[in-house]
Amino acid sequence: MNERHDEGPHEHDRGLSYDFPVLARRRMIRLMAGASLIPLMGCTTEEKTPASSASSSSSSSAACAEIPEETAGPFPGDGSNGVNVLKESGVVRSDIRKSFGDSAGGTAEGVPLTITLTVVDAASGCGTPKRGAAVYVWHCDRDGAYSLYSDGVTEENYLRGVQETDDKGQVTFTSVFPGCYPGRWPHVHFEVYGSLADATAATSITNTSQLAFPKDACDAVYATDGYGDSVRNLSNLSLEDDGIFSDSHERQLAAMTGSAGDGYTATLTVPV
């Protein structure tokens, strides 16, 4: 099963029974928003601000919208679809570029990428960091392949890792910029858990979502060596047409700093 090739299933190709809960939820959110005239762009200011400054935002007594819920896709590695990397020793780590444990020991290559997610309490208006929560992130390599699942990398488990949030509600991962495969805008998957114990036991997921990358950063990265297929694949896509981000990408679009030459940092505030 390979998400980057035509024969591999994509999230948006898994049938009505797979997609209906997500689509129904989104439709209900839009209907509720129209009826109540309450903006769904909660935490707009914080989400467009680098995560490093999110903790300094003033608290609000009003609730803000949680991060949009998205599919984990067919390659989560959390035990819900075959293999479970979360129970393996070594999965709790900040640098996710190398495989660990009993894997083949490979290293994912590509433009350096730092991912910083700031988990905050939506009920408090996004002003309170969620200390002691945990975040599991995973994404494809520069060839569009997912470790543990895709042809040629089933014995690898790179580009997957878990961390506990600090006093600022933050986790930071060292990775590489993912490639763009047919049918999906470049993205990073993540799951939020109530605690590190929950994450490593692969139980009690509180939120599942995805981070999107701005087009200018994608264009710059894909102009470098090793991302040849991504140029063509990205040219056939847009955030507005992506099956996952088409209705809510404003709250999932990472703020980017850096360059293709020196590496990028992607930051996102995650209200839960």
Side-chain angles (χ1 to χ4, degrees):
M1 181 162 57
N2 189 339
E3 193 173 357
R4 61 182 168 137
H5 297 303
D6 293 338
E7 68 268 24
H10 301 294
E11 287 98 326
H12 55 279
D13 294 329
R14 293 172 65 84
L16 183 59
S17 62
Y18 183 87
D19 294 332
F20 182 77
V22 171
L23 297 175
R25 179 176 62 254
R26 292 176 177 172
R27 178 174 175 79
M28 181 59 67
I29 290 173
R30 288 194 293 269
L31 290 173
M32 292 175 66
S36 63
L37 300 181
I38 298 175
L40 290 182
M41 290 298 294
C43 293
T44 300
T45 301
E46 288 84 352
E47 285 163 13
K48 293 183 179 180
T49 302
S52 60
S53 62
S55 61
S56 63
S57 301
S58 60
S59 297
S60 169
S61 59
C64 68
E66 291 187 5
I67 192 77
E69 190 78 6
E70 306 292 8
T71 176
F75 312 123
D78 61 2
S80 62
N81 185 24
V83 293
N84 189 344
V85 75
L86 294 176
K87 294 185 177 182
E88 294 186 18
S89 176
V91 71
V92 180
R93 60 196 186 134
S94 60
D95 190 336
I96 61 174
R97 292 172 296 180
K98 295 182 179 181
S99 291
F100 63 94
D102 296 329
S103 71
T107 300
E109 303 292 340
V111 169
L113 173 68
T114 300
I115 305 166
T116 296
L117 303 179
T118 302
V119 183
V120 296
D121 181 19
S124 71
C126 294
T128 304
K130 296 283 284 187
R131 176 185 179 184
V135 181
Y136 166 46
V137 302
W138 72 98
H139 62 83
C140 70
D141 62 20
R142 69 179 178 184
D143 296 319
Y146 282 86
S147 67
L148 301 175
Y149 293 91
S150 298
D151 291 345
V153 293
T154 56
E155 300 303 315
E156 304 288 356
N157 55 19
Y158 53 52
L159 306 182
R160 299 176 184 272
V162 176
Q163 281 197 76
E164 183 178 35
T165 58
D166 62 16
D167 289 346
K168 296 180 180 180
Q170 292 183 348
V171 292
T172 297
F173 294 92
T174 301
S175 191
V176 296
F177 205 98
C180 178
Y181 52 83
R184 279 305 319 277
W185 190 262
H187 60 282
V188 171
H189 293 268
F190 61 90
E191 293 173 343
V192 181
Y193 293 79
S195 68
L196 187 60
D198 285 345
T200 53
T203 60
S204 303
I205 299 171
T206 63
N207 302 81
T208 302
S209 195
Q210 298 180 26
L211 172 154
F213 292 99
K215 186 176 186 300
D216 58 349
C218 296
D219 287 338
V221 170
Y222 297 160
T224 65
D225 292 341
Y227 288 92
D229 290 342
S230 294
V231 175
R232 179 182 65 255
N233 294 333
L234 188 70
S235 69
N236 296 319
L237 296 168
S238 73
L239 269 167
E240 290 71 23
D241 295 334
D242 182 84
I244 298 300
F245 296 124
S246 58
D247 65 344
S248 59
H249 69 265
E250 293 87 357
R251 293 194 285 126
Q252 295 163 281
L253 190 63
M256 304 292 294
T257 58
S259 66
D262 297 329
Y264 278 101
T265 294
T267 60
L268 183 70
T269 298
V270 182
V272 300

